[in-house]
PDB file of all heavy atoms in Angstrom:
ATOM      1  N   SER Z  51      -7.951  27.689 -19.611  1.00  0.00           N
ATOM      2  CA  SER Z  51      -8.971  28.380 -20.406  1.00  0.00           C
ATOM      3  C   SER Z  51      -9.956  29.174 -19.553  1.00  0.00           C
ATOM      4  O   SER Z  51     -10.554  28.635 -18.622  1.00  0.00           O
ATOM      5  CB  SER Z  51      -9.734  27.337 -21.227  1.00  0.00           C
ATOM      6  OG  SER Z  51     -10.998  27.836 -21.611  1.00  0.00           O
ATOM      7  N   LEU Z  53     -12.840  30.289 -20.622  1.00  0.00           N
ATOM      8  CA  LEU Z  53     -14.165  29.730 -20.895  1.00  0.00           C
ATOM      9  C   LEU Z  53     -14.410  28.497 -20.022  1.00  0.00           C
ATOM     10  O   LEU Z  53     -15.447  28.368 -19.368  1.00  0.00           O
ATOM     11  CB  LEU Z  53     -14.273  29.351 -22.380  1.00  0.00           C
ATOM     12  CG  LEU Z  53     -15.519  28.536 -22.762  1.00  0.00           C
ATOM     13  CD1 LEU Z  53     -16.783  29.340 -22.536  1.00  0.00           C
ATOM     14  CD2 LEU Z  53     -15.430  28.055 -24.205  1.00  0.00           C
ATOM     15  N   ASP Z  90      -5.173  31.832 -19.472  1.00  0.00           N
ATOM     16  CA  ASP Z  90      -5.981  32.780 -20.237  1.00  0.00           C
ATOM     17  C   ASP Z  90      -6.325  33.924 -19.276  1.00  0.00           C
ATOM     18  O   ASP Z  90      -7.163  33.772 -18.399  1.00  0.00           O
ATOM     19  CB  ASP Z  90      -7.243  32.032 -20.698  1.00  0.00           C
ATOM     20  CG  ASP Z  90      -8.231  32.921 -21.426  1.00  0.00           C
ATOM     21  OD1 ASP Z  90      -7.933  34.122 -21.605  1.00  0.00           O
ATOM     22  OD2 ASP Z  90      -9.288  32.395 -21.817  1.00  0.00           O
ATOM     23  N   ASN Z 127     -16.860  35.950 -24.348  1.00  0.00           N
ATOM     24  CA  ASN Z 127     -16.199  34.948 -25.184  1.00  0.00           C
ATOM     25  C   ASN Z 127     -16.222  35.352 -26.655  1.00  0.00           C
ATOM     26  O   ASN Z 127     -17.207  35.889 -27.152  1.00  0.00           O
ATOM     27  CB  ASN Z 127     -16.865  33.585 -24.993  1.00  0.00           C
ATOM     28  CG  ASN Z 127     -16.097  32.480 -25.689  1.00  0.00           C
ATOM     29  OD1 ASN Z 127     -16.332  32.194 -26.860  1.00  0.00           O
ATOM     30  ND2 ASN Z 127     -15.142  31.904 -24.998  1.00  0.00           N
ATOM     31  N   ARG Z 164      -2.918  38.648 -27.395  1.00  0.00           N
ATOM     32  CA  ARG Z 164      -3.937  38.051 -28.274  1.00  0.00           C
ATOM     33  C   ARG Z 164      -4.662  39.145 -29.045  1.00  0.00           C
ATOM     34  O   ARG Z 164      -5.195  40.089 -28.452  1.00  0.00           O
ATOM     35  CB  ARG Z 164      -4.898  37.251 -27.413  1.00  0.00           C
ATOM     36  CG  ARG Z 164      -6.198  36.864 -28.073  1.00  0.00           C
ATOM     37  CD  ARG Z 164      -6.872  35.798 -27.234  1.00  0.00           C
ATOM     38  NE  ARG Z 164      -8.282  35.678 -27.495  1.00  0.00           N
ATOM     39  CZ  ARG Z 164      -9.088  34.828 -26.850  1.00  0.00           C
ATOM     40  NH1 ARG Z 164      -8.600  34.067 -25.877  1.00  0.00           N
ATOM     41  NH2 ARG Z 164     -10.357  34.768 -27.140  1.00  0.00           N
ATOM     42  N   HIS Z 195      -6.511  35.133 -33.239  1.00  0.00           N
ATOM     43  CA  HIS Z 195      -7.733  34.356 -33.123  1.00  0.00           C
ATOM     44  C   HIS Z 195      -8.636  34.576 -34.333  1.00  0.00           C
ATOM     45  O   HIS Z 195      -8.595  35.640 -34.958  1.00  0.00           O
ATOM     46  CB  HIS Z 195      -8.488  34.733 -31.842  1.00  0.00           C
ATOM     47  CG  HIS Z 195      -9.337  33.616 -31.299  1.00  0.00           C
ATOM     48  ND1 HIS Z 195      -9.357  32.356 -31.839  1.00  0.00           N
ATOM     49  CD2 HIS Z 195     -10.198  33.569 -30.236  1.00  0.00           C
ATOM     50  CE1 HIS Z 195     -10.186  31.584 -31.145  1.00  0.00           C
ATOM     51  NE2 HIS Z 195     -10.718  32.295 -30.163  1.00  0.00           N
TER      52      HIS Z 195
HETATM   53  C1  LIG W  30     -10.735  30.314 -23.807  1.00  0.00           C
HETATM   54  O1  LIG W  30     -10.508  29.108 -23.904  1.00  0.00           O
HETATM   55  O2  LIG W  30     -11.273  30.818 -22.835  1.00  0.00           O
HETATM   56  C2  LIG W  30     -10.382  31.215 -24.880  1.00  0.00           C
HETATM   57  C3  LIG W  30     -10.360  30.715 -26.237  1.00  0.00           C
HETATM   58  O3  LIG W  30     -10.184  32.372 -24.628  1.00  0.00           O
HETATM   59  S1  LIG W  30     -11.856  31.093 -26.946  1.00  0.00           S
HETATM   60  O4  LIG W  30     -12.904  30.428 -26.200  1.00  0.00           O
HETATM   61  O5  LIG W  30     -11.748  30.605 -28.293  1.00  0.00           O
HETATM   62  O6  LIG W  30     -12.071  32.513 -26.939  1.00  0.00           O
END
Side-chain angles (χ1 to χ4, degrees):
S51 158
L53 170 64
D90 176 1
N127 188 271
R164 165 166 160 182
H195 208 5

